[in-house]
Amino acid sequence: MKWKQYVIYIAGSERIGTIRETCITKAVKQFVGTLDRPAKYELYNRHNATVRYNDNIGLMNDFLVMEA
């Protein structure tokens, strides 16, 4: 298995961390598991995804996960 590094950003803002995982789906699921509120994710392609809290009714996503 080849590990990849994924960078997590607060949407429209700063970098908050990194995750090492084999694919974007596993990285996003791992990140969502660390959040204090329920959240959902949307994969855009094999290199990036967005995470949004379930109670977020605004237009913006809360987090962005990108392959480094």
Side-chain angles (χ1 to χ4, degrees), residues 6-67:
Y6 296 93
V7 182
I8 303 164
Y9 296 92
I10 296 175
S13 187
E14 64 188 58
R15 177 181 173 165
I16 59 170
T18 59
I19 292 178
R20 290 183 54 85
E21 195 54 80
T22 56
C23 70
I24 186 81
T25 305
K26 290 179 182 179
V28 172
K29 286 181 179 180
Q30 181 181 342
F31 174 66
V32 167
T34 66
L35 298 174
D36 58 347
R37 298 190 326 231
K40 57 187 172 187
Y41 64 90
E42 183 176 350
L43 300 175
Y44 286 116
N45 54 41
R46 296 182 322 182
H47 306 290
N48 61 37
T50 59
V51 177
R52 171 187 286 249
Y53 287 121
N54 290 346
D55 60 358
N56 179 352
I57 59 171
L59 295 175
M60 296 289 292
N61 292 304
D62 294 305
F63 303 98
L64 177 65
V65 180
M66 298 177 63
E67 185 176 341

